[in-house]
Amino acid sequence: MITVISGTNRSNSRTLQIARHFTALIKDSGVEAQLLDLAKIDMAHYVEEMYDAKKMSPALVVLQKRFILDVKKIVFIVPEYNGSFPGVVKLFIDGISVNEYPKNLGGKHIALIGVSSGRAGNLRGLDHLATVVNHMGGWICPNKLPLSNVDTFLNDAGEMVHGPTDEALKKLASQLIAA
Ligand SMILES: Cc1cc2nc3c(=O)[nH]c(=O)nc-3n(C[C@H](O)[C@H](O)[C@H](O)COP(=O)(O)O)c2cc1C
């Protein structure tokens, strides 16, 4: 089972469209995949008590077990917000880190995909997130994939309409599956 995380809480995000597409690509290869949309996580989980594992929201613990603790491979798809990855991704990581710290990302294969409407494809944000993932013991797959000018390869319905980008995503999916 591979978890694909859509790393924003912005509604109707391009990131979620890429995440849906990438999840489908993995499944097309015959491997189980599940999508965690951070926009669906109740912000009420993120309260002062969140840093005490004993007081963590039970609903967040359930999500953490299914999407993080019980899997060995995770994909973070993160849009570029102000030159980095969104704060809600860090909030989620910090929130789960207080429970079963080493079992969250430790020793797991982690693939990173950046998404931007501008030209950088969140290259810097991918490096920032890689630093966090490495700090928590995760192995970053070698080909971090920056997707720039996102509006040119997804149509209004959120479908992939650009062959080379689709090929790059398929290549990353195969590398992660083989890892
Ligand atoms: C708060 C915020 C900050 C953003 N900062 C950048 C940026 O620094 N560089 C860039 O190319 N695009 C930036 N964007 C535009 C996103 O790249 C664009 O919305 C793209 O569709 C990916 O984000 P999405 O998944 O939320 O749709 C920003 C968008 C938001 C909402």
Side-chain angles (χ1 to χ4, degrees):
M1 175 66 77
I2 297 177
T3 290
V4 178
I5 297 177
S6 174
T8 177
N9 57 341
R10 196 176 81 77
S11 51
N12 303 316
S13 71
R14 288 304 207 180
T15 296
L16 180 58
Q17 294 168 348
I18 297 282
R20 287 192 179 121
H21 182 68
F22 197 70
T23 304
L25 287 182
I26 295 169
K27 287 182 176 171
D28 287 347
S29 304
V31 173
E32 285 185 300
Q34 56 183 353
L35 175 61
L36 174 60
D37 177 4
L38 292 192
K40 295 234 173 81
I41 294 189
D42 190 343
M43 292 301 277
H45 295 329
Y46 304 123
V47 291
E48 193 185 339
E49 293 78 28
M50 67 182 267
Y51 302 107
D52 180 343
K54 290 187 221 78
K55 294 183 185 164
M56 233 175 115
S57 151
L60 186 57
V61 174
V62 169
L63 286 178
Q64 178 192 17
K65 177 168 172 19
R66 174 179 164 192
F67 289 98
I68 305 293
L69 298 177
D70 286 355
V71 304
K72 298 228 168 349
K73 298 178 184 181
I74 299 169
V75 185
F76 282 93
I77 306 185
V78 285
E80 178 168 339
Y81 290 174
N82 301 306
S84 188
F85 65 90
V88 73
V89 175
K90 187 65 163 49
L91 205 52
F92 174 71
I93 291 173
D94 290 345
I96 59 173
S97 70
V98 299
N99 185 35
E100 305 268 15
Y101 177 81
K103 295 183 186 163
N104 281 292
L105 304 182
K108 298 186 181 180
H109 290 281
I110 315 288
L112 303 183
I113 299 173
V115 180
S116 79
S117 53
R119 289 165 54 185
N122 201 13
L123 205 45
R124 281 175 299 181
L126 294 180
D127 285 341
H128 300 161
L129 182 53
T131 304
V132 174
V133 169
N134 284 151
H135 184 87
M136 293 179 69
W139 294 95
I140 300 290
C141 293
N143 296 310
K144 298 192 287 275
L145 183 59
L147 302 179
S148 52
N149 304 311
V150 63
D151 296 317
T152 64
F153 58 77
L154 293 177
N155 64 17
D156 289 347
E159 295 156 339
M160 176 61 59
V161 291
H162 189 243
T165 300
D166 202 26
E167 285 309 311
L169 287 165
K170 282 179 182 157
K171 190 173 165 198
L172 184 66
S174 336
Q175 286 172 340
L176 183 62
I177 289 166

